[in-house]
Amino acid sequence: MVTGAGAGIGRELAVALGEAGALVGAVDVDGVGLGETVERVRGRGGRVLGVVGDAADSERMREVSAEVVGAFGGVDVLINNAGRLFYGGVGESEVEDFEVVMRANLGAAVASTKAFLPYVVESSGGRIANISSAYGLIGVGGAAPYTAAKFAVRGFSESLRSELRGRPNVAVSCVYPGGVKTGIAWSALAAAGVDARKAAERFDRVVARTEPRVAARVVLNGVARGRSRVLIGADAVLADAVARLAGGQYEKLIRLVVRG
Ligand SMILES: NC(=O)c1ccc[n+]([C@@H]2O[C@H](COP(=O)([O-])OP(=O)(O)OC[C@H]3O[C@@H](n4cnc5c(N)ncnc54)[C@H](O)[C@@H]3O)[C@@H](O)[C@H]2O)c1
């Protein structure tokens, strides 16, 4: 089961899972993008059920889980990939911006997990993976709502893993991608007054590094091995190392790296 499967990393996850012989459940708010994913999975011989829905809508996700389980008989792997980027820091963002971004990222992981968890824990090899971000490893200026939401996804994942410790059949992964070459910046939300177009151009030019197909492969390798933490790209590895090595001083180190 992959949320946000209508584009980017989620689409590549669905395609790779289909190629590996999995029965793929794919959900997205965007029916057009989802349709294209379904076509691609089938085009490569995979079996897929596409369902339009908002991953942050708990009622809808319960319906989706019932439909997927009705079709496939159960769910072994849940990848909570749906999320929205947001441009803007504390200064520019309204309280409502924080609420929207929190719902779009943490809310989507929570509602989807609540809907699918009863089935995943029944699996002999259950896996839940939540897609956080390198911004779930380090805080940087100008991105507080998105960073807070991705740190929240990390906290949610770690708490869930702890809660499921008595179930050795289930592993929970939290995934931290660095910049991945998807359209995420072009569908990003932004605080009033922030030039989202300029930010998206900069994303394409200097942030996006890893191909989404490669990102999906890294996710699936980590999930198959039951890894707690999965880092995607040298940029995420660097963010992780800087946060661990420099502790409370990492912000200074990042500024040096970014300037250099
Ligand atoms: N691309 C990157 O550089 C990058 C870096 C770090 C983390 N991430 C995270 O990886 C995940 C996937 O990102 P991407 O780059 O593939 O994005 P993307 O914008 O290319 O694709 C995201 C897909 O999720 C769907 N979606 C968004 N909110 C949804 C919801 N509530 N319910 C159902 N579908 C929803 C969108 O319609 C879209 O099809 C996101 O959680 C994102 O925050 C991406």
Side-chain angles (χ1 to χ4, degrees):
M1 186 68 215
V2 182
T3 70
I9 301 169
R11 171 175 287 159
E12 297 300 336
L13 284 168
V15 168
L17 284 164
E19 281 175 342
L23 304 176
V24 184
V27 67
D28 204 289
V29 274
D30 170 15
V32 175
L34 184 65
E36 197 175 311
T37 297
V38 166
E39 259 178 45
R40 285 204 200 178
V41 175
R42 291 192 180 139
R44 289 173 165 80
R47 289 174 63 192
V48 59
L49 174 67
V51 190
V52 175
D54 176 357
D57 178 340
S58 54
E59 207 170 305
R60 181 68 189 129
M61 287 311 281
R62 276 195 298 272
E63 293 168 358
V64 172
S65 66
E67 196 175 334
V68 170
V69 170
F72 295 156
V75 175
D76 299 305
V77 179
L78 168 65
I79 305 183
N80 290 315
N81 165 77
R84 295 283 299 271
L85 180 59
F86 179 87
Y87 289 117
V90 179
E92 306 99 346
S93 305
E94 299 297 335
V95 171
E96 292 73 21
D97 291 324
F98 279 83
E99 290 168 354
V100 166
V101 180
M102 207 50 110
R103 183 180 190 277
N105 291 280
L106 176 66
V110 172
S112 160
T113 299
K114 290 288 285 177
F116 284 98
L117 187 59
Y119 307 106
V120 175
V121 295
E122 292 299 317
S123 167
S124 57
R127 296 283 187 273
I128 298 173
N130 299 318
I131 312 294
S132 173
S133 167
Y135 282 9
L137 298 166
I138 52 165
V140 293
Y146 186 68
T147 305
K150 290 305 193 185
F151 265 76
V153 170
R154 169 181 173 181
F156 173 65
S157 308
E158 295 190 3
S159 301
L160 181 64
R161 185 180 312 124
S162 174
E163 215 172 293
L164 294 175
R165 200 176 296 138
R167 295 183 182 268
N169 58 313
V170 185
V172 178
S173 304
C174 190
V175 181
Y176 304 95
V180 181
K181 293 179 189 169
T182 70
I184 193 169
W186 295 95
S187 57
L189 305 163
V194 170
D195 188 341
R197 189 188 170 82
K198 197 168 147 201
E201 283 167 358
R202 183 179 176 278
F203 177 91
D204 284 352
R205 214 174 47 249
V206 297
V207 178
R209 290 160 191 263
T210 304
E211 292 296 336
R213 214 156 54 86
V214 174
R217 205 171 59 223
V218 175
V219 173
L220 295 179
N221 278 338
V223 169
R225 287 173 173 73
R227 293 260 157 80
S228 301
R229 306 164 81 250
V230 179
L231 301 168
I232 300 178
D235 43 357
V237 171
L238 180 67
D240 184 48
V242 163
R244 283 163 180 266
L245 294 174
Q249 301 293 310
Y250 75 74
E251 200 256 333
K252 284 184 195 159
L253 206 57
I254 285 166
R255 258 189 284 157
L256 277 179
V257 172
V258 171
R259 273 190 204 145

